[in-house]
C-alpha cells in the first residue's frame, strides 16, 4: 500500500485550493479596476490583451525565478517538454485569457465570476469522459449539481450587476474561456507526471504572455497609466497567476482532477463578494443568498471528496 503524500491529505488540499480560489476570485474586481488605472475602454480589445500579456509574462518570470533560487540555477523544461508547455500555454493562457479579458470587459465583475463556476463541471466531465483519467461517479455528479446550485443561487440574487441579458462578446466569451481552462486543467494533470508542474506553469505563462503582448502591440494596443496604483496592481495580478496556478498544478499532480477542481465552485463566491465590495456594480452584497450559496458549495465539495475517499478504500 502506497503511503499518502502530504499533498493528498484532504485538509492540505482544502487549504491550498481555497487559497488559489480566493486569489482567482480577487482577479475579477482587480481586472475591472486595472482597466480604469490603465485607461482601457471596454471596446479597446487590443489594449485589454496587452494588459493580460504583460501580466502573464511577469507572472511567468516570477514563477521561474522563485523556483530557480533554491536550485541556484535557472530552471528550464526538459528537451521533450516544450511541446507540452506550448499546448498548456495555448489552452490556459492565450485562448482562455483572450476570451476572458474581452468577455469581462463586456459584462460585470459579479456576473463574470458566476459564469466562471462552469469550469468545474467541464473539468470533471473532460477528465472523466474524454481523457478517462477517472470515473464519473454518482458522488461526483451529485457534488457538482449541489455545488453549482449555489453558484446559480448567487446569480439570481437580484443584484444589479447581474442584469443585461447575454451577449456573445461578454458572457459567451467567458463560457469559451471556461472550456479552454477545463482542458488546461486536464493537460496539467497529464503532463505533470513527466515535468515539474511549477516549470510548466512558469514557462507556459511566459510563452503565452509574450504571444499576447506581441499580438496586442501589432494590433495597436496601448496602456496609459492614470495612477501610481497601477504598478502595484499589475504586480499583484501577476502574483495571483504565479502563486495560484503553480499551487493548483502541484495539487493536480498528486490528486484526481475532481478532488481539486471542485473547490473552483468557491471562486465565484469569492468573486461575487469581492466584486460587490470593491466595485460599484451590485449596490448591496446579497449576504443571505451568498451564505446559502456557500453552504451549497461546501456541501458539494464535501460530497465529491467523501466519494473520492470511499472509492480509494474499496
Amino acid at each position: 500500500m502506497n503511503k499518502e503524500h502530504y499533498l493528498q491529505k484532504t485538509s492540505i488540499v482544502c487549504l491550498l485550493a481555497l487559497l488559489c480560489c480566493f486569489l482567482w476570485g480577487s482577479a475579477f474586481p482587480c481586472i475591472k479596476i486595472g482597466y480604469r488605472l490603465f485607461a482601457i475602454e471596454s471596446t479597446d480589445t487590443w489594449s485589454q490583451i496587452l494588459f493580460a500579456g504583460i501580466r502573464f509574462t511577469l507572472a511567468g518570470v516570477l514563477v521561474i525565478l522563485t523556483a530557480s533560487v533554491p536550485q541556484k540555477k535557472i530552471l528550464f523544461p526538459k528537451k521533450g517538454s516544450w511541446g507540452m508547455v506550448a499546448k498548456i500555454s495555448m489552452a490556459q493562457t492565450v485562448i482562455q485569457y483572450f476570451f476572458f479579458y474581452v468577455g469581462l470587459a463586456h459584462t460585470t465583475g459579479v456576473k463574470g465570476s458566476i459564469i466562471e463556476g462552469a469550469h468545474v463541471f467541464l473539468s470533471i466531465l473532460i477528465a472523466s469522459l474524454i481523457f478517462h483519467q477517472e470515473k464519473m461517479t454518482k458522488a461526483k455528479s451529485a457534488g457538482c449539481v449541489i455545488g453549482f446550485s449555489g453558484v446559480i443561487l448567487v446569480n439570481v440574487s437580484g443584484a444589479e450587476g447581474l442584469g443585461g441579458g447575454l451577449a456573445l462578446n461578454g458572457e459567451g466569451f467567458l463560457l469559451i474561456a471556461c472550456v479552454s481552462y477545463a482542458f488546461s486543467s486536464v493537460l496539467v494533470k497529464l503532463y505533470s507526471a513527466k515535468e515539474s508542474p511549477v516549470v510548466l506553469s512558469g514557462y507556459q505563462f511566459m510563452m503565452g504572455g509574450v504571444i499576447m503582448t506581441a499580438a496586442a502591440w501589432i494590433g495597436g494596443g496601448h496602456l496609459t497609466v492614470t495612477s501610481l496604483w497601477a504598478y502595484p496592481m499589475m504586480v499583484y495580478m501577476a502574483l495571483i497567476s504565479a502563486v495560484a496556478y503553480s499551487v493548483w498544478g502541484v495539487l493536480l499532480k498528486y490528486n484526481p482532477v475532481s478532488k481539486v477542481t471542485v473547490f473552483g465552485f468557491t471562486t465565484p463566491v469569492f468573486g461575487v463578494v469581492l466584486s460587490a465590495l470593491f466595485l460599484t456594480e451590485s449596490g448591496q452584497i446579497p449576504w443571505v443568498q451568498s451564505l446559502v450559496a456557500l453552504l451549497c458549495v461546501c456541501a458539494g465539495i464535501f460530497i465529491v471528496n467523501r466519494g473520492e475517499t470511499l472509492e480509494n478504500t474499496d
Side-chain angles (χ1 to χ4, degrees):
M1 184 175 180
N2 295 329
K3 184 178 180 181
E4 183 182 50
H5 192 280
Y6 77 95
L7 285 173
Q8 293 175 309
K9 294 182 182 296
T10 301
S11 58
I12 300 297
V13 173
C14 179
L15 289 173
L16 293 179
L18 286 176
L19 170 63
C20 295
C21 293
F22 174 82
L23 290 172
W24 283 324
S26 72
F28 291 94
C30 285
I31 290 172
K32 304 288 282 188
I33 294 170
Y35 285 162
R36 300 172 192 169
L37 294 174
F38 286 98
I40 301 174
E41 300 293 332
S42 63
T43 55
D44 191 353
T45 300
W46 288 117
S47 293
Q48 294 159 15
I49 301 306
L50 179 60
F51 181 41
I54 294 173
R55 171 195 175 187
F56 295 125
T57 302
L58 179 58
V61 171
L62 290 173
V63 171
I64 297 304
L65 288 180
T66 302
S68 297
V69 169
Q71 304 295 324
K72 298 182 179 179
K73 63 178 182 180
I74 300 297
L75 298 180
F76 291 97
K78 299 172 186 174
K79 186 176 180 180
S81 298
W82 284 105
M84 295 186 292
V85 170
K87 290 176 184 177
I88 294 176
S89 181
M90 290 303 297
Q92 187 165 291
T93 300
V94 179
I95 296 176
Q96 181 196 176
Y97 281 104
F98 171 82
F99 287 103
F100 180 82
Y101 267 69
V102 176
L104 193 58
H106 293 87
T107 188
T108 65
V110 171
K111 200 170 185 179
S113 64
I114 297 298
I115 295 173
E116 183 70 5
H119 83 266
V120 179
F121 272 137
L122 295 169
S123 294
I124 295 176
L125 287 172
I126 291 170
S128 303
L129 304 180
I130 298 179
F131 287 85
H132 305 294
Q133 292 178 343
E134 55 187 274
K135 295 180 180 179
M136 174 58 77
T137 64
K138 292 181 179 179
K140 291 173 185 175
S141 300
C144 284
V145 170
I146 293 173
F148 198 60
S149 68
V151 174
I152 294 174
L153 180 61
V154 180
N155 195 11
V156 297
S157 63
E160 293 175 16
L162 300 171
L166 301 174
L168 175 62
N169 65 345
E171 294 77 13
F173 275 21
L174 289 176
L175 285 172
I176 294 174
C178 285
V179 174
S180 185
Y181 174 75
F183 271 99
S184 76
S185 292
V186 177
L187 290 177
V188 169
K189 170 68 177 178
L190 181 66
Y191 295 151
S192 61
K194 306 174 184 177
E195 179 62 86
S196 163
V198 175
V199 171
L200 288 173
S201 178
Y203 280 96
Q204 73 86 11
F205 272 135
M206 280 200 287
M207 182 181 292
V210 169
I211 291 172
M212 296 177 80
T213 300
W217 182 76
I218 293 172
H222 64 281
L223 302 180
T224 301
V225 176
T226 62
S227 167
L228 291 177
W229 286 107
Y231 298 107
M233 176 61 74
M234 181 66 81
V235 172
Y236 174 72
M237 293 188 64
L239 284 171
I240 289 175
S241 301
V243 174
Y245 277 109
S246 296
V247 172
W248 200 256
V250 172
L251 290 176
L252 284 172
K253 178 177 181 177
Y254 291 101
N255 298 278
V257 171
S258 58
K259 183 175 181 177
V260 179
T261 58
V262 71
F263 285 92
F265 280 133
T266 64
T267 300
V269 178
F270 287 132
V272 167
V273 174
L274 293 173
S275 292
L277 284 173
F278 293 104
L279 302 175
T280 56
E281 293 180 345
S282 58
Q284 287 186 318
I285 301 173
W287 289 112
V288 175
Q289 292 91 333
S290 294
L291 178 58
V292 176
L294 184 58
L295 291 174
C296 290
V297 167
C298 290
I301 291 171
F302 174 80
I303 291 171
V304 170
N305 280 279
R306 177 63 176 171
E308 189 69 42
T309 301
L310 292 175
E311 287 177 41
N312 292 336
T313 56
D314 287 343

